[in-house]
Amino acid sequence: MKTRRVGSLTCGALLIIFGVLFMVHMFVPALKYEFIIKFWPVILIALGVEMLLSCRNKEEGIKLKYDGAAIFLTILLGFFAMGMGVLQYCVENFPVCI
């Protein structure tokens, strides 16, 4: 019986998506951090979709194992990415005079 880890696919896909969005911002400043940060619910939606689709696989005789580390890492990295975006926004718009 095959074992499928639920959460790994979502973790990888979201790392790529948010990484690309932040990298695009470096070259296209018109893509604002506020716009990227508003996509945080995509993390929860993607995890939910993967879990629902994995239930279908369970009926086909595939054993499921939730990858708690990947799910935790996805959420943690999402918050880290949002925090870095907020930090850079603050540095760009509220310069500290020395």
Side-chain angles (χ1 to χ4, degrees):
M1 180 180 281
K2 287 185 176 180
T3 301
R4 185 177 179 306
R5 298 181 68 88
V6 179
S8 300
L9 179 66
T10 301
C11 181
L14 289 174
L15 285 172
I16 292 169
I17 291 169
F18 279 101
V20 167
L21 286 173
F22 281 107
M23 190 170 68
V24 167
H25 171 76
M26 291 170 34
F27 300 106
V28 183
L31 179 64
K32 301 290 182 190
Y33 284 121
E34 295 86 11
F35 180 76
I36 297 171
I37 292 171
K38 287 181 184 179
F39 279 105
W40 74 265
V42 171
I43 295 170
L44 300 176
I45 293 167
L47 283 171
V49 167
E50 185 175 2
M51 287 179 183
L52 287 174
L53 291 176
S54 67
C55 289
R56 193 180 95 217
N57 289 338
K58 190 174 186 178
E59 296 168 358
E60 297 172 2
I62 297 174
K63 184 178 176 184
L64 298 177
K65 183 175 182 181
Y66 288 98
D67 192 353
I71 293 170
F72 175 74
L73 183 64
T74 300
I75 292 170
L76 184 68
L77 288 173
F79 284 126
F80 176 75
M82 288 185 281
M84 292 304 290
V86 168
L87 180 64
Q88 186 169 356
Y89 175 80
C90 291
V91 168
E92 289 175 354
N93 294 303
F94 305 108
V96 178
C97 296
I98 298 176

